[in-house]
Each structure stands twice: as structure tokens, then as C-alpha cells.
């Protein structure tokens, strides 16, 4: 499928002012490789939160920022290392890229990985260049947009990945959650932890956020936290039953009625999530590497042998 056909498939990205001077950049439909970003427009400059998966989408994001403010993007925060949030870092050469130490390590180790072209339908990625954070932290860092305090915090455990951070703006009770929250899409913890994610969701709920900009899907309220939590508990319960019956993650997925979760985007992620849940039930520590290639190939098998749909 060509990128021009993709353009007609999905609604255009949009800028939403979620609080005074704070904007979410929402990219429908939030499925594979189509993430959200955001930015804070201050008097002296812009703080961006994440970039996009393709060159075209990231340049459109830059133009969206310019439609709001002529100030330069001085700082770009990465919430985690995945390419849909970091491949476009290179398009902000004037910005200090900020991220967790592990985010830097993984981007340096992986570069622009070939797997993006193997498992998904054809995408016009553009001319990508890996650009890791060059200002890193272990636990967190505090940024200010004028006088507005923005707390960038590592969540402390493996969750969606091993290096997830949030951007919390306490004065506005506003949370940029990265991929700890999916709204309308299937949560994905193959490279992180089911149990770790459940702990982090409890921590996020305790913040008392009124507004959440999720990693994928529309801007939402705190109810989104519980929706993700219920899905992950379903994954854990399903894994326990399947493992007790001697079934593989793929076999368990095929025999499972997803119910309401079958209506979420990218429902084939149940297979990858079960691989992680099985590993944890077998005693593997949260976030420890597992065979991601096999899990992805089995997601394709679950999808009828077809490449996973990507409209990025």
C-alpha cells in the first residue's frame, strides 16, 4: 500500500490545546507506528515530547508546532526508545534530546532496525537517522516552560519497555503517559512486563491526573488507566490458564475469546503479551530479554499469515 493511499485512509493529525500553552499532537488512528506527541510553547522556546516514526510524519509535526509558535524547539523529551517515538529525533537538530539512560543505550544499540520493514505492511519511512538522547537521567529531571514545572520521571520498573518515562505537569494535573497508556488500541508489553505495568498503572492513578495524553489514541481522562489495567489482568489470567493447560502462547491466543478486547486496534498483540506473561510466570525477571522475533512471527501467524497492518 503506498503512502498516498495511507493519506486517504486516516483522518489528518490534529493539534489540541490541552491546557494553557500545552498541546497534544494526536495522530489518528493510533495503530502500529502511529503515535502521539506533544509540546509546551513557552516565551523563549518549545519543549517537545517525542517525535514520530517516519520522516514525513515528523516534518508534519514540526509544521504543526510552527502553526502555534515561531519559537525554536529547544528541548525534545523521549518517553522511551521505540521508533514510533524516536525515529524522528533527527528532524530536531537544534534541540537538546533528553531521555533515560537506557533509552540512549537502546537507540545506540538498535539504530534504525530492519525489523520495521519485515513484519508490517509497506511504509514510506523516509531518510531516517538514529539520534539518541544526549542529556540523560537515571530517575528523572525537571524542566520548566517559563514558570510551568514539568517533571520527567522514569517509572522505576519495566512496564511497556525497560525505560519508560512520563511527563507530569502537577500544576495542571496533566500527564503525558507515553505508551504506558493506549486509548482505543491494544496495550503492548512484549518488551516490558505485565506485572510491572500493573504496578505503574497504580502509581499513575495515584497522581490524580485530570487529563492524559496517551501514547496512542485520543486525549482521555483517568478512566483510561483502569481500562488498560483490566486488559493486562485479562492477559495474566489467560496466560495462567493456558500455561496450566500446556498450551503455547499462540495456541492460548487462538483458543481465547477476546470479548471486548477484540474490538481494540491491533488485537494480535495478545500473542506478544502472552509471550511476556508466560516468561514472567516461568520466573523471568520483568523486562529481561525474550525471543521477540518468535513473538512477532506468531503475531503474524495469528493474523492469518498476513503482515501486520501499518498505516504510518
Amino acid at each position: 500500500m503506498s503512502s498516498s493511499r495511507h493519506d486517504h485512509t486516516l483522518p489528518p493529525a490534529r493539534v489540541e490545546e490541552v491546557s494553557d500553552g500545552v498541546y497534544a499532537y494526536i495522530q489518528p488512528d493510533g495503530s502500529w507506528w502511529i503515535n502521539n506527541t506533544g509540546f509546551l510553547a513557552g516565551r523563549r522556546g518549545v519543549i517537545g515530547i517525542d517525535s514520530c516514526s517516519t520522516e514525513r510524519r515528523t516534518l508534519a509535526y514540526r509544521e504543526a508546532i510552527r502553526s502555534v509558535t515561531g519559537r525554536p524547539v529547544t528541548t525534545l523529551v523521549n518517553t522511551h526508545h521505540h521508533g514510533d517515538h524516536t525515529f524522528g529525533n533527527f528532524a530536531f537538530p537544534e534541540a537538546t534530546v533528553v531521555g533515560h539512560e537506557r533509552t540512549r543505550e537502546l537507540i545506540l544499540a538498535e539504530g534504525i532496525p530492519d525489523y520495521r520493514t519485515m513484519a508490517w505492511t509497506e511504509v514510506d519511512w523516509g531518510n531516517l537517522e538514529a539520534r539518541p538522547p544526549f542529556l540523560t537521567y537515571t530517575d528523572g529531571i525537571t524542566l520548566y516552560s517559563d514558570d510551568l514545572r514539568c517533571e520527567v520521571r522514569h517509572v522505576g520498573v519495566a512496564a511497556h519497555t525497560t525505560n519508560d518515562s512520563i511527563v507530569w505537569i502537577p500544576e495542571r494535573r496533566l500527564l503525558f503517559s507515553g505508551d504506558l497508556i493506549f486509548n482505543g488500541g491494544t496495550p503492548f508489553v512484549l518488551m516490558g512486563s505485565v506485572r510491572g505495568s500493573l504496578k505503574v498503572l497504580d502509581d499513575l492513578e495515584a497522581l490524580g491526573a485530570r487529563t492524559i495524553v496517551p501514547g496512542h489514541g485520543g486525549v482521555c481522562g483517568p478512566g483510561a488507566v483502569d481500562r488498560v489495567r483490566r486488559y493486562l489482568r485479562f492477559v495474566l489470567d489467560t496466560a495462567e490458564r493456558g500455561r496450566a493447560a500446556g498450551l503455547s502462547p499462540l495456541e492460548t491466543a487462538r483458543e481465547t475469546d477476546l470479548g471486548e478486547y477484540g474490538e481494540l486496534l491491533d488485537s494480535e498483540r495478545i500473542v506478544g503479551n502472552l509471550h511476556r506473561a508466560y516468561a514472567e510466570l516461568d520466573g523471568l525477571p520483568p523486562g529481561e530479554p525474550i525471543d521477540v522475533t518468535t513473538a512477532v512471527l506468531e503475531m503474524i501467524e495469528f493474523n492469518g499469515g498476513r503482515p501486520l497492518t501499518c498505516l504510518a
Side-chain angles (χ1 to χ4, degrees):
M1 187 180 290
S2 69
S3 61
S4 61
R5 287 175 65 191
H6 288 176
D7 292 342
H8 295 294
T9 301
L10 299 175
R14 62 186 184 272
V15 175
E16 294 184 20
E17 188 167 16
V18 290
S19 187
D20 186 26
V22 184
Y23 300 84
Y25 183 69
I26 304 299
Q27 297 193 98
D29 59 355
S31 55
W32 285 115
W33 297 94
I34 303 176
N35 67 309
N36 296 329
T37 62
F39 59 98
L40 294 88
R43 292 187 297 272
R44 296 181 57 210
V46 174
I47 299 171
I49 302 169
D50 284 330
S51 56
C52 306
S53 60
T54 70
E55 181 179 27
R56 175 177 58 87
R57 283 183 173 273
T58 302
L59 294 178
Y61 170 39
R62 281 199 64 121
E63 287 303 312
I65 295 173
R66 288 195 189 101
S67 74
V68 171
T69 175
R71 303 297 185 190
V73 179
T74 58
T75 309
L76 181 66
V77 177
N78 287 154
T79 59
H80 61 293
H81 76 286
H82 282 165
D84 50 340
H85 297 259
T86 64
F87 281 171
N89 286 357
F90 76 96
F92 296 90
E94 74 280 26
T96 300
V97 183
V98 179
H100 188 262
E101 288 179 351
R102 182 73 173 147
T103 303
R104 175 179 170 82
E105 290 170 8
L106 287 167
I107 292 175
L108 285 172
E110 294 182 2
I112 306 295
D114 290 337
Y115 65 69
R116 76 192 192 283
T117 64
M118 297 175 181
W120 287 271
T121 51
E122 185 181 345
V123 171
D124 178 10
W125 297 95
N127 297 312
L128 300 176
E129 175 188 338
R131 186 172 185 228
F134 60 94
L135 175 61
T136 64
Y137 53 84
T138 302
D139 300 315
I141 193 168
T142 301
L143 304 173
Y144 286 86
S145 179
D146 301 331
D147 297 324
L148 185 62
R149 180 184 178 95
C150 308
E151 299 176 4
V152 182
R153 302 182 187 175
H154 180 242
V155 297
V157 297
H160 172 64
T161 67
T162 58
N163 59 102
D164 301 295
S165 294
I166 60 171
V167 180
W168 169 237
I169 306 174
E171 182 182 318
R172 308 287 177 81
R173 293 177 65 184
L174 172 60
L175 174 67
F176 285 85
S177 70
D179 283 0
L180 299 165
I181 302 289
F182 286 76
N183 182 23
T186 303
F188 196 45
V189 296
L190 173 62
M191 298 179 188
S193 168
V194 184
R195 289 196 173 107
S197 293
L198 288 168
K199 177 193 180 301
V200 169
L201 290 169
D202 289 344
D203 294 342
L204 295 187
E205 195 168 58
L207 289 173
R210 279 196 301 255
T211 306
I212 298 173
V213 181
H216 298 258
V219 175
C220 50
V225 176
D226 190 56
R227 289 194 293 273
V228 175
R229 181 165 47 209
R230 285 189 289 107
Y231 172 79
L232 293 175
R233 286 176 176 160
F234 167 78
V235 168
L236 205 52
D237 291 345
T238 302
E240 288 171 346
R241 287 196 304 272
R243 186 167 167 270
L247 301 176
S248 70
L250 178 58
E251 290 168 339
T252 299
R254 283 176 164 162
E255 295 199 3
T256 297
D257 178 3
L258 293 177
E260 63 181 298
Y261 305 119
E263 299 174 6
L264 298 175
L265 295 170
D266 309 318
S267 59
E268 66 273 3
R269 290 176 183 165
I270 183 64
V271 180
N273 291 332
L274 286 171
H275 270 272
R276 175 56 64 180
Y278 269 55
E280 292 185 3
L281 291 171
D282 288 338
L284 194 72
E288 285 293 305
I290 62 174
D291 188 349
V292 170
T293 300
T294 294
V296 172
L297 290 174
E298 289 187 1
M299 286 194 291
I300 293 171
E301 198 173 338
F302 183 84
N303 195 43
R306 299 180 303 275
L308 307 179
T309 300
C310 179
L311 303 177

